[in-house]
Amino acid sequence: MDNEVVIQTRNLSKVYRDFWGRKKVQALNSLSLEVNRGEVFGLLGPNGSGKTTTLKLLLGLLFPSEGEVSILGKPAVDVTKNQRIGYLPEESYLYRFLNAEETLDFYGRLFNMPAAERRERSRQLIERVGLQHARRRQLKEYSKGMTRRIGLAQALINDPDLILLDEPTSGLDPIGSRDMKDLIQKLKEEGKTVVMCSHLLADVQDVCDRIAILDRGELKVLGKVQDLLKDQGVTQIKTSRLSDDVVKELQAVLARHQAEVLEIDHPTASLEDLFVKTVRESAARPGQRHIPDSPEERPAPAPQPAAKT
Amino acid sequence: MSHDPVPFQILPALLQWLAVVGIILAISAVTLTVTSLATSGATGPLMIFEQIGGGIHDWLSTAGRRVWALTMLTFREAFRRKTLLVFVVFAILFLFAGWFLADTSPDPSMQIKVLVTFVLRAISWLILPVVLLLSCWGLPEDIRARSLHTVVTKPVYRHEVILGRIFGFSIVGGLVLVTMSVAGYIWILRQVPESAKSRLVARVPVYGALTFKDREGNDAAAGVNTGDEWMFRSYIEGNTKGRAIWDFQHLDQQLPSGAEDLLLESSFQVFRTYKGNIEKGILAQYILVNTDKKIRAALPPFEVHEFRDNVLKVERNLTDEEGKPVDLFNDLIHDGKLRVEVRCLTAAQFLGVARPDLFVRLPDRSFAVSYFKGIFGVGLMMVMIVVLGVTASSFVKGPIATILTLFMLLVGRMARPFFDELTSAQHMGGGVLESIYRIVKHLNPQTPLEDTLPNNIMQWIDSAGLNVMWALKYLFPDFQSFNMSEYVANGFDVPWSAAMLPSIALTVAYVIPWIILAHFSLKLRELEAK
């Protein structure tokens, strides 16, 4: 990662006003941050914290009330900057009467791409997001997950240098969510800059190099994920499985050094890992079912009708 | 249809357009500057200049492929939203219209008029509301559904979105219009009775300039006002020296080479001071005159009946008033000029004439040509509505854009004479301030005001206000100019210089500023305001 600044905001503020110009809400207050080339940057915050407003200010969909925005070295309202940007909105606001191929062809034309290039790029992207089976179906027949996938494909149609993703895993099942995160990692490996905003903390933790946490329009935290999450007051030791005697011996050693043992336990995998493992195994071995081991897990027998007297 | 077709002069029209656009731009510039100074201080006007410069740069960066992509998107959207259902209404209308419209008049010309008017009106009334709704709702719906977000976050300029919408809706409307008009043409051909088919033509008239001689034979500004018609026609008295005189020009350029006769067609009216034999027309006579060589040839008298056209074929070989043979094309038509004097021969009866009541009829053109020129007028009006609708929808939501467009359409179609009268400065009693002053002071409108400084200032402000009003009335296009159906229905060719050219010029004159307005409106608005 080099340190070329791709996005820069200086005291960026946004106030939403009503018809009469009266202040309705301060959506963003003096946000100053920089995003460097090649990093995956996460904007975190609860609902209404100003994440999406920030993205829309970056894209020129909103105009700042105060402050400045520079994106790829150009002002946010400069249309030519969009040549190198891909944007996936929070909901995939696409034209529902088009099918997947028509959608990508349309967005390809907006980048002034020649027909042959559009066809090839559409084919690649439809394959990449796994929509080959639905390429000719109108988007109004798509599930939410499929719509997110075609939304992502349209964001990548121009092979952008900077990708802005608004809640990229929203509406996706755990497999889709994992695929999305894998794709973000792959984009990072290709040297792309990714800015994503989300309130799903686990997703952000998995893929982001740096994060900013916003609350009520203000920047509260900014830094590398690893640095921010590292607890300097606690030491964690991970080993292969130890016997109970070794654990007791270890506790004695730690006690001699006045260390308070907070927890010694076997780690648990995340639910997402379990889900993904289960579904992938199911795909590999169709027909395999879960058979309850203990009598408690088995369903109770259906009650017998009472005998007539 | 104008009752007095006047050739369109493009240069004066262009100057007038520049004057109107200049005044409106000046008003807008002053308003914007004051507003920006109030809201942003000294940097405000600078920002306006930047935006204007940016707008010019946008236009220079227009890409055909992007505009075409947006055009085709609009086209697909309209079709997949079942716009074609309008054809079903059209088909139902035409399936049953024949039952009610057949044999509505014993006069074949009237029968043709009824059928042609019905077809052209049905097409207009079906297409125009459809394109109005499409164009007013397309963009706001795109903004509401936020699908426009995925477009404007690509390298797409806002005016390309506007152009794509306009082209898309115009192509949809154009296809529907062509299909309906072909079906309508075939329907007319099938409905017109066999006996009237020969009247299904497009007459090509050459109009002359009309002057009068009074009953004493002196020059007169107009004929006699019989109280029957006040504005359009005036009357010449029978068996006097009163005459209506038409001077035709450039006939040599318009008549076909090798012509052996000349068709004079008239539609004079009659005002009878006594009833007499109502079945019998009153007598009139043409006198053809070469004004340079003073050659006069009187043609045989003919009868004029109320509400009936007269077609007279004038043969080449004639005799002058002294009985000498004269050649129509060599002796009477000189340098393309011909004078036709019309006399009323029946004593105590009057012949009503207006400029278009007499014309030289050139060889007829095909009815199809005239019909499709009429359809072209509907097409131009459709384009105007599309551009107006898209422009309105670039700054207000769908329902308001619909109401605004409809309002402009209705005012532009019906209230133009009112605006003309209001801004003609011919009202007695002066403008707004002067009228208030007169009311307060209990002064008659006819009473002249004293020549004092306050009165002069008041009148000057009123006069400036009227000039602004004069420019502002042009905010409402004269939609009546696009109505060419009267030409077609009355069996005339739609003239290029008096009907086609002005309506094309009118379209261009309004479409250009509207598109620029829509561009800046979409460029300067936030698409995601809460």
Side-chain angles (χ1 to χ4, degrees), chain B residues 54-77:
Chain B
I56 294 167
H57 171 265
D58 289 356
W59 279 94
L60 295 175
S61 310
T62 308
R65 190 176 275 149
R66 288 197 292 266
V67 175
W68 182 243
L70 290 158
T71 301
M72 291 317 292
L73 179 85
T74 309
F75 184 80
R76 279 199 181 113
E77 183 183 22

Side-chain angles (χ1 to χ4, degrees), chain B residues 177-209:
Chain B
L177 179 64
V178 167
T179 314
M180 280 187 181
S181 55
V182 169
Y185 179 72
I186 295 168
W187 186 83
I188 290 172
L189 291 187
R190 289 171 62 91
Q191 291 291 325
V192 170
E194 205 56 46
S195 58
K197 286 251 160 76
S198 61
R199 290 180 177 252
L200 212 53
V201 293
R203 293 174 289 169
V204 185
V206 176
Y207 295 104

Side-chain angles (χ1 to χ4, degrees), chain A residues 72-83:
Chain A
L72 295 165
K74 294 176 176 173
V77 289
D78 188 335
V79 172
T80 55
K81 74 175 192 310
N82 295 340
Q83 196 72 41

